[in-house]
Amino acid sequence: MLRRRINLLFGGDEKRVDSRTIYVGHRPCPATEAFIPPKFCDNRIVSSKYTIWNFLPKNLFEQFRRIANFYFLIIFLVQVIVDTPTSPVTSGLPLFFVITVTAIKQGYEDWLRHKADYEVNKYPVIVLEDGRSIRKESEKIKVGDIVEVVEDETFPCDLILLQSTRDDDTCFVTTASLDGESNHKTHYTVPDTEKDLQSLNATIECEQPQPDLYKFVGRMHIYKTDQEPAVRSLGPENLLLKGATLKNTKKIYGVAVYTGMETKMALNYQGKSQKRSAVEKSINAFLLVYLCILISKAVVCTTLKYVWQSQDGQDEPWYNEKTQKEKDTYVYLKMFTDFLSFMVLFNFIIPVSMYVTVEMQKFLGSFFITWDKDFFDPEIQEGALVNTSDLNEELGQVEYVFTDKTGTLTQNNMEYIECCIDGFQYRNSDSMSELDGFCVTDGPVSKLQQKAGRDKEELFLRALCLCHTVQVKEAGPDEIDSDQVDGLVSELSQPDEQRGFIASSPDEVALVKGAMKHGFTFLGLENKSMKIRNRENNVELYDLLHVLNFDPVRRRMSVIVRSKSGETLLFCKGADSSIFPRVRQEEVDRIRMHVERNATEGYRTLCVAYKQLSPEEFAVADAGLRDARLALQDREEKLMAVYNQVETSMSLIGATAVEDRLQEEAAETMEALQGAGMKVWVLTGDKMETAKSTCYACRLFQRGTELLELTVRTLEDGGRKREERLHELLLDYHKKAVQDAPPVKAGVTRSWSTANQEYGFIVDGATLSLVMNPSPDTNSSRYKSLFLQICQNCTAVLCCRMAPLQKAQIVKMVKNSKGSPITLSIGDGANDVSMILEAHVGIGIKGKEGRQAVRNSDYAIPKLKHLKKLLLAHGHLYYVRIAHLVQYFFYKNLCFILPQFLYQFFCGYSQQPLYDAAYLTMYNICFTSMPILAFSLLEQHIAIEYLLDNATLYREIAKNAMLKWGPFLYWTVLGIFQGLLFFFGVKYLFSNPALQDNGQVFGNWSYGTIVFTVLVFTVTLKLALDTRHWTWINHFVIWGSLAFYVFFSFFWGGIIWPFLKQQRLYFVFANMLSSVSAWLVIILLILLSLLPDILLMVFRKPRGPHARQLSEGSLLQTARSLPSPRCPTSI
Amino acid sequence: MSKPLKKISLTKLLHQNKNKWSFIKLRQFYQSLEKILKETCSYAELCTNNGHWLDYTGTEMNSSCFSCSSVKPDCVCELTFSFSQLFEGPVFFYYGLSNYYQNYRQYGVSKDANQLSGDTTYFLSPQDTCSPYQYDSSGKPIVPCGSIANSKFNDTFKLYLMVNGVKTLVPFDGKGIAWWTDYNVKYRNPATVNGSLAKAFDGTVKPPNWPKPAYELDPSDAANNGFVNQDFLVWMRRAALPNFRKLYGRITGGDYSQGLPAGNYTLQINYNYPVVNFKGTKKVIFSNVSWMGGKNEFLGLAYLVIGCLCVVMAIVMLIVYAKYKFSDDDDMQ
């Protein structure tokens, strides 16, 4: 801290390596010792990963880094090297297929990137060189070049704006392609640069490239002959980012500071860290189990083989003599190759195609969210957006929902309600007929029909008009619609004043409009002077000297203006907590009551204060601000310090109340989420009272909910040390909520409407930081776990006065708590980004506060109400689908390979495959892949309407219920049962292998084909039994797959294939079908293996949880829809 | 043993004694199950299990083939048996081997499909998979090469019916015992050289275990000679399980088209094929075939059991349904 002060005082600019010096126009500067042209990277953008030459090796390397692919590669290599039962083709072909498809997809994506890169890199730009404009390719721009950009062009690299054709030295840009915000942003030229860029002699010192789009610190030294070099500070408002587009400005000149891969856009290009879903962890666990099964099968077979061979006469019967090579092979080596052979034979139990199917399911499945018409919002003409398809099923597993308040629970559509000036309340009546209605129509609501003095009134209204960063929208005819999307709140209703206001926060617009209703109109900012029209329709001009920007830590903003009369005024507005300590206490007492009452009504309140600056005071403040703005390091901190210095000893003039309406169906959505067993936490930067009332309005807190409060207020109640009080309260609450509460059974049985006492927990930012970062001397590391336990036992938790980072901290704490619950964050603003990134699933709302949240989210929805369907319907269904997909895949491969394993016992453990190579290869690729893919995309085991109506259904799949070991065991047992049935059923049939009516005998390939036919039909029909929601696609793929199997078998066995060494399946299938016995056994075995499922279906239906709730749900519905007269008669 | 029981009609039994009937039925069921699960039969006489069969391995001292089981080739032994009533035809005659692993993998690949499809270019250089029956000790290629062909079953059978003390030959029809596609498409003889099949095999030797080369398998019938010899084709279609049977011939000729009449029979066996050293057994099977294929007790039993199960379940479910339905009605009232 001390060092910062010192730096502040001395302008602290020690040279650091992490800044770069740029010579504008490559002109050497007199001041610097020697002109060393610094080396920077060129302006070539390389977003592509591969070149033609390295594509194959690099792509293959990356693909085989995946453990599954590597495993299959090993199996393939074993097959190539060792004499194995199946040809390398059987595992090589699927692997090749998977690798090729992935490579093609990645190659195509890379080709698109190449194309885009080429377009960007070859784009012609105009560069000023030695007084001439030279056309260059974009990639040839070097740092220090002066670049000309005309209207509607994108900037080829990051530029410092030197000159604009606009009169006021500004230019407008949109950054739609960078962060999605389509409003126009104003950027400023470096002040006092020469008009003639040729004679400009300057260097720019700025920080090394960093990815934050909204941060830039730099300094420009301008050297003029015979003068001291002038220094100008550079900020993000001077920087034009590559990728942004110039608007409303004919032409600008700028000097390139960051080029190519060092531009902020390129630095931001590196994708977000991958989020992995819990389902994948389950898959990996199951894979491990199956790997163990596989290895133990191979070990068992190898062992038994040698035990069996040790018996007399079994090793080498005369009809099957060994080759000389075999005889010579060392026995342990033989054992090892036998083991490998068995591995190869059984390796199909681990399905290569499952990964492909899961990927495809996720990729295609995400389209259903994008396409959902219910998510379409007519207001913004947009639907949902899916940024990550990896997390679809995670939506069905959410246990904690962290929601922002402003813009998420509420509409962030601010409406000015009332103000309070000097303790007198002014409520605006709804009638807008009288234009100057402030005095006439607005009666104070308070019983005292009194008003503040006119001076105070006008001062207050002027403050409202001046203390903001609102811009007046120039109503260009073509821009009205485009800007309505973002930022622009509304046009004024007056036809003669087609103007709108653009502001970073809607509160400001609401306040400016509120002032307008009271007769003070903000006309705009011109040449650093603000124009307002007062009640007498006179235009007043104020010079805008400084804007002390708003930030969430200070929670206030100020302006310093100079009126025409020469007074220097500071207006400050901000949250009561940040204003009250800085004004005189007697003023506070008059206004506090109003503020608190407004807050409990759910309004957002802001206090307005002012201060008259003496010229001396101003000079000090001015110098401090300028110094701080020039600082290269710690600029933020320095600025903050100056702000805090300036904003003291103000006088409070009033407070405003702005209403933020609840989102549509916010209460219903929250109720549904709680009903689904999710815990909803509201994390907001807002005041406690406001947030609390919002929570009540959203029914997060109900009338019966007992609120446990852990805020600064309660901590200071006892008048003791905060830490002690905190300790006491925590223990007290813990006793109440955790120890005394009846033991909560697993989510399924607990209903949200039980008579249990419900607790709501309220904590504020300051207290939270006490809990999270306890002072080291106290033995308070327990606080965190106590706090967490209390929170987990409360139905709703409200965290108010949160800084963005604290939000993420809370999410992280819950995420890492016991049982690692799945968390979801939903928010709409930049302050929610940290928690959106932190949570397992991040959801952005396409709200009014820009697109940052949407950009960083995994899913974006237009409105809060869509969350209900996203979780309860889509999330639930995707979870069930993918769980079924995974279980089914393991099951179908188990009963595929089990007969082959059993066959080893009857073929002398000789690794004789039961099925033909074609069947082995095609089983997972063609015969059984499509039905499960279609199922996993389209299945709705419970209709969406029911899911939405009965939120409790969501509890049934909580905690990864369908991928627990129980269901896994069920599927495994089913697979084993069916595998045994297939094998032994056919084996007993083959006790007399003469199956044809002409007495001819079937051989081993017929055996395998019968087993395989039963297998394919059973596995497919099992899926058909599981399918609850039949579409034509399901019908097509299920019956189509079976038909394809039959067709393929005929085809494969119907021709002598010239490329095959052995025609072992020649006419096997056709002969099989000509045998009535084979038909009978196939039908019998299919029925028998499906019997458990059919029985389960029949017996489960009347008792199963699904059916009961469904019927209850429908009963309730009918009861609700029916008028009640039946009830009395029935009694 | 169970035959007389079968004759009593079920309805009669039902009337007589309900409990007894179910007991008998159970016992019968158990015996059938035992028969299916155990394929051996201790009787020296004909065993009935998926057809009538007769073990002739000759491991037992009192068996007439006992002497042959240890003695080298061309040993002849005779077995006698009788049918007490007409064994309805058409009767199929199978030979069966047990503990014989024709489905052994290395054994299964030990053949050259190109040779067998009559491609003479592969006659002089058989596939490596045929090893150790690829070349003989003098380096000459073996045709047909490989273990399967080499181990072709070479016992021959002659069946005599004793009519008035006179042996009359019951002819076996060896045609059409192999798959039509094997006989007509998959296996082809090499093109004859100067009208002689033997010349096509020039430069090759017969498999070591064969008494005569392939082109002399059936010199009397060109359509049954060489690679398209039906016995050879039957052998080449590998059995699925270590206990298997293969079709030897049909008894359809003349007097026997109705089946084998009651009487005493003698089976004369040319005992060549060694099985004792790998603990195998050999047997012959007389079986008749219906439209469903060969006699298979498993299938019938399985359907019976499953059918009963389904009926029981149907009744249970009916009861359950009725109960639930009534309780629903109660609720409604």
Side-chain angles (χ1 to χ4, degrees), chain A residues 265-306:
Chain A
M265 187 178 88
L267 290 173
N268 268 289
Y269 192 74
Q270 278 120 25
K272 293 182 293 177
S273 69
Q274 284 257 309
K275 292 183 181 176
R276 291 259 152 235
S277 80
V279 168
E280 260 169 80
K281 284 172 206 148
S282 300
I283 295 179
N284 287 339
F286 296 163
L287 267 183
L288 221 61
V289 171
Y290 270 66
L291 199 68
C292 291
I293 293 180
L294 170 66
I295 289 173
S296 53
K297 271 183 178 178
V299 168
V300 163
C301 280
T302 316
T303 319
L304 286 180
K305 175 170 182 166
Y306 284 90

XYZ file of all heavy atoms in Angstrom, chain A residues 265-306:
328
model
N -7.937 -9.751 -29.963
C -8.858 -10.730 -30.515
C -8.182 -12.101 -30.590
O -8.745 -13.113 -30.199
C -9.324 -10.314 -31.910
C -10.406 -11.210 -32.451
S -10.989 -10.713 -34.055
C -9.859 -11.582 -35.101
N -6.957 -12.122 -31.107
C -6.257 -13.399 -31.250
C -5.979 -14.016 -29.887
O -6.075 -15.224 -29.710
C -4.959 -13.198 -32.016
N -5.648 -13.163 -28.925
C -5.363 -13.703 -27.595
C -6.612 -14.274 -26.964
O -6.552 -15.192 -26.162
C -4.793 -12.604 -26.699
C -3.383 -12.166 -27.076
C -2.969 -10.971 -26.249
C -2.404 -13.304 -26.870
N -7.749 -13.705 -27.333
C -8.997 -14.215 -26.790
C -9.465 -15.448 -27.512
O -10.416 -16.094 -27.089
C -10.089 -13.152 -26.900
C -10.150 -12.331 -25.654
O -10.580 -12.813 -24.628
N -9.664 -11.111 -25.734
N -8.811 -15.743 -28.635
C -9.304 -16.841 -29.460
C -9.109 -18.180 -28.793
O -9.875 -19.091 -29.002
C -8.593 -16.822 -30.810
C -9.240 -17.713 -31.796
C -10.446 -17.317 -32.368
C -8.706 -18.940 -32.138
C -11.086 -18.127 -33.262
C -9.343 -19.758 -33.025
C -10.526 -19.350 -33.590
O -11.166 -20.160 -34.467
N -8.063 -18.272 -27.978
C -7.808 -19.553 -27.331
C -9.031 -19.957 -26.526
O -9.493 -19.215 -25.685
C -6.592 -19.456 -26.431
C -5.303 -19.602 -27.213
C -4.430 -18.396 -27.080
O -4.537 -17.680 -26.110
N -3.566 -18.165 -28.059
N -9.525 -21.121 -26.852
C -10.816 -21.542 -26.314
C -10.829 -21.622 -24.804
O -9.796 -21.640 -24.155
N -12.026 -21.686 -24.311
C -12.179 -21.784 -22.872
C -11.739 -23.174 -22.412
O -11.651 -24.097 -23.200
C -13.648 -21.589 -22.492
C -14.138 -20.206 -22.770
C -15.572 -20.071 -22.333
C -16.505 -20.901 -23.168
N -17.875 -20.855 -22.758
N -11.472 -23.274 -21.162
C -11.111 -24.591 -20.647
C -12.319 -25.508 -20.781
O -13.452 -25.082 -20.621
C -10.708 -24.488 -19.186
O -11.840 -24.174 -18.406
N -12.035 -26.753 -21.070
C -13.114 -27.700 -21.319
C -13.774 -28.111 -20.021
O -13.115 -28.394 -19.047
C -12.530 -28.932 -22.003
C -12.217 -28.688 -23.448
C -13.260 -29.302 -24.324
O -13.589 -30.455 -24.196
N -13.821 -28.519 -25.227
N -15.093 -28.124 -20.037
C -15.795 -28.655 -18.887
C -16.186 -30.085 -19.221
O -16.666 -30.363 -20.302
C -17.049 -27.829 -18.606
C -16.755 -26.425 -18.127
C -18.044 -25.703 -17.812
C -17.781 -24.287 -17.351
N -19.007 -23.528 -17.135
N -15.961 -30.968 -18.284
C -16.292 -32.380 -18.519
C -17.473 -32.747 -17.650
O -17.602 -32.296 -16.533
C -15.098 -33.258 -18.187
C -13.977 -33.082 -19.164
C -13.946 -34.217 -20.168
N -13.376 -33.760 -21.419
C -14.002 -33.878 -22.586
N -15.186 -34.418 -22.665
N -13.429 -33.470 -23.691
N -18.306 -33.588 -18.173
C -19.512 -33.898 -17.421
C -19.302 -35.105 -16.533
O -18.386 -35.902 -16.726
C -20.676 -34.149 -18.368
O -20.609 -35.446 -18.869
N -20.185 -35.222 -15.543
C -20.079 -36.309 -14.577
C -20.325 -37.654 -15.240
O -19.799 -38.672 -14.811
C -21.072 -36.101 -13.442
N -21.123 -37.637 -16.298
C -21.421 -38.891 -16.985
C -20.145 -39.511 -17.532
O -19.960 -40.718 -17.494
C -22.436 -38.632 -18.113
C -22.535 -39.820 -19.024
C -23.788 -38.294 -17.524
N -19.257 -38.656 -17.997
C -18.030 -39.199 -18.552
C -17.204 -39.918 -17.496
O -16.543 -40.910 -17.784
C -17.217 -38.081 -19.192
C -17.417 -38.084 -20.684
C -16.864 -36.849 -21.326
O -15.653 -36.803 -21.519
O -17.654 -35.937 -21.618
N -17.284 -39.395 -16.282
C -16.566 -40.078 -15.204
C -17.153 -41.468 -14.998
O -16.417 -42.436 -14.801
C -16.653 -39.258 -13.924
C -15.732 -38.050 -13.959
C -15.973 -37.139 -12.763
C -15.575 -35.716 -13.086
N -16.409 -34.742 -12.374
N -18.480 -41.555 -15.043
C -19.117 -42.862 -14.905
C -18.677 -43.780 -16.027
O -18.368 -44.950 -15.805
C -20.635 -42.715 -14.930
O -21.058 -41.908 -13.876
N -18.660 -43.248 -17.239
C -18.258 -44.068 -18.381
C -16.871 -44.633 -18.137
O -16.612 -45.817 -18.344
C -18.276 -43.242 -19.678
C -19.690 -42.804 -20.010
C -17.676 -44.038 -20.825
C -19.777 -41.976 -21.258
N -15.987 -43.785 -17.652
C -14.627 -44.247 -17.435
C -14.580 -45.333 -16.371
O -13.829 -46.297 -16.496
C -13.734 -43.070 -17.056
C -13.458 -42.196 -18.256
O -13.592 -42.640 -19.392
N -13.105 -40.952 -18.032
N -15.416 -45.165 -15.335
C -15.451 -46.196 -14.297
C -15.938 -47.516 -14.877
O -15.361 -48.574 -14.628
C -16.357 -45.750 -13.155
N -16.992 -47.449 -15.684
C -17.527 -48.676 -16.288
C -16.498 -49.294 -17.230
O -16.344 -50.512 -17.289
C -18.802 -48.375 -17.077
C -19.932 -47.879 -16.216
C -21.016 -47.245 -16.778
C -19.910 -48.058 -14.857
C -22.052 -46.784 -15.989
C -20.931 -47.605 -14.053
C -22.008 -46.962 -14.623
N -15.802 -48.428 -17.953
C -14.777 -48.932 -18.866
C -13.739 -49.733 -18.101
O -13.290 -50.784 -18.558
C -14.087 -47.762 -19.561
C -14.652 -47.345 -20.907
C -13.814 -46.242 -21.493
C -14.663 -48.522 -21.859
N -13.410 -49.218 -16.941
C -12.427 -49.903 -16.115
C -12.938 -51.288 -15.730
O -12.210 -52.277 -15.796
C -12.152 -49.072 -14.863
C -10.693 -49.015 -14.442
C -9.857 -48.386 -15.536
C -10.564 -48.262 -13.140
N -14.213 -51.343 -15.333
C -14.812 -52.625 -14.980
C -14.732 -53.576 -16.167
O -14.337 -54.735 -16.043
C -16.280 -52.431 -14.560
C -16.962 -53.776 -14.407
C -16.357 -51.651 -13.273
N -15.075 -53.051 -17.331
C -15.084 -53.922 -18.502
C -13.681 -54.333 -18.905
O -13.472 -55.429 -19.416
C -15.831 -53.249 -19.649
C -17.292 -53.606 -19.611
C -18.095 -53.181 -18.572
C -17.857 -54.422 -20.580
C -19.404 -53.531 -18.493
C -19.183 -54.784 -20.514
C -19.959 -54.340 -19.475
O -21.264 -54.706 -19.398
N -12.740 -53.439 -18.663
C -11.360 -53.802 -18.944
C -10.939 -54.951 -18.027
O -10.263 -55.893 -18.447
C -10.460 -52.585 -18.732
C -9.096 -52.667 -19.396
C -9.245 -52.624 -20.897
C -8.196 -51.560 -18.916
N -11.374 -54.864 -16.777
C -11.072 -55.956 -15.838
C -11.734 -57.246 -16.311
O -11.101 -58.313 -16.297
C -11.565 -55.609 -14.441
S -10.629 -54.289 -13.689
N -12.999 -57.136 -16.714
C -13.690 -58.327 -17.220
C -12.913 -58.904 -18.393
O -12.657 -60.109 -18.473
C -15.120 -57.970 -17.651
C -15.966 -57.580 -16.435
C -15.774 -59.141 -18.385
C -17.379 -57.204 -16.770
N -12.509 -58.027 -19.291
C -11.790 -58.458 -20.488
C -10.505 -59.183 -20.116
O -10.223 -60.284 -20.598
C -11.484 -57.221 -21.350
C -10.551 -57.402 -22.529
C -11.193 -58.313 -23.553
C -10.234 -56.065 -23.169
N -9.739 -58.560 -19.234
C -8.454 -59.152 -18.878
C -8.668 -60.469 -18.139
O -7.993 -61.466 -18.410
C -7.624 -58.162 -18.044
C -7.168 -57.020 -18.954
C -6.424 -58.848 -17.419
C -6.498 -55.895 -18.244
N -9.675 -60.472 -17.229
C -9.873 -61.720 -16.492
C -10.364 -62.818 -17.429
O -9.984 -63.977 -17.281
C -10.843 -61.505 -15.331
O -12.018 -60.925 -15.790
N -11.186 -62.461 -18.396
C -11.606 -63.465 -19.373
C -10.402 -64.053 -20.087
O -10.280 -65.275 -20.250
C -12.527 -62.822 -20.411
C -13.989 -62.832 -20.035
C -14.797 -62.249 -21.174
C -16.277 -62.275 -20.856
N -17.054 -61.662 -21.929
N -9.507 -63.156 -20.518
C -8.339 -63.635 -21.246
C -7.459 -64.489 -20.352
O -6.946 -65.528 -20.779
C -7.557 -62.437 -21.792
N -7.323 -64.065 -19.091
C -6.487 -64.835 -18.167
C -7.109 -66.209 -17.926
O -6.420 -67.234 -17.988
C -6.314 -64.064 -16.836
C -5.712 -64.963 -15.784
C -5.448 -62.842 -17.048
N -8.423 -66.213 -17.680
C -9.110 -67.480 -17.435
C -8.915 -68.421 -18.609
O -8.556 -69.596 -18.452
C -10.613 -67.224 -17.176
C -11.405 -68.511 -17.323
C -10.817 -66.632 -15.805
N -9.133 -67.897 -19.800
C -9.017 -68.747 -20.985
C -7.596 -69.268 -21.149
O -7.396 -70.437 -21.454
C -9.440 -67.977 -22.226
S -11.217 -67.903 -22.396
N -6.617 -68.390 -20.957
C -5.234 -68.823 -21.135
C -4.888 -69.913 -20.123
O -4.286 -70.928 -20.470
C -4.280 -67.627 -20.952
O -4.828 -66.509 -21.649
C -2.924 -67.926 -21.498
N -5.279 -69.661 -18.869
C -4.980 -70.655 -17.841
C -5.633 -71.988 -18.177
O -4.974 -73.032 -18.186
C -5.503 -70.168 -16.473
O -5.223 -68.783 -16.362
C -4.866 -70.924 -15.346
N -6.925 -71.925 -18.456
C -7.645 -73.169 -18.728
C -7.074 -73.873 -19.935
O -7.049 -75.098 -19.997
C -9.126 -72.869 -18.940
C -9.894 -72.535 -17.666
C -11.341 -72.247 -17.972
C -9.790 -73.696 -16.686
N -6.616 -73.092 -20.900
C -6.066 -73.713 -22.096
C -4.895 -74.620 -21.725
O -4.802 -75.760 -22.179
C -5.602 -72.646 -23.081
C -4.916 -73.219 -24.300
C -4.662 -72.207 -25.369
C -4.022 -72.906 -26.557
N -4.034 -72.090 -27.753
N -4.014 -74.110 -20.867
C -2.838 -74.897 -20.556
C -3.156 -76.028 -19.591
O -2.532 -77.082 -19.628
C -1.710 -73.980 -20.074
C -1.129 -73.270 -21.277
C -1.630 -72.050 -21.703
C -0.147 -73.878 -22.053
C -1.157 -71.429 -22.845
C 0.344 -73.265 -23.199
C -0.167 -72.048 -23.589
O 0.297 -71.474 -24.722
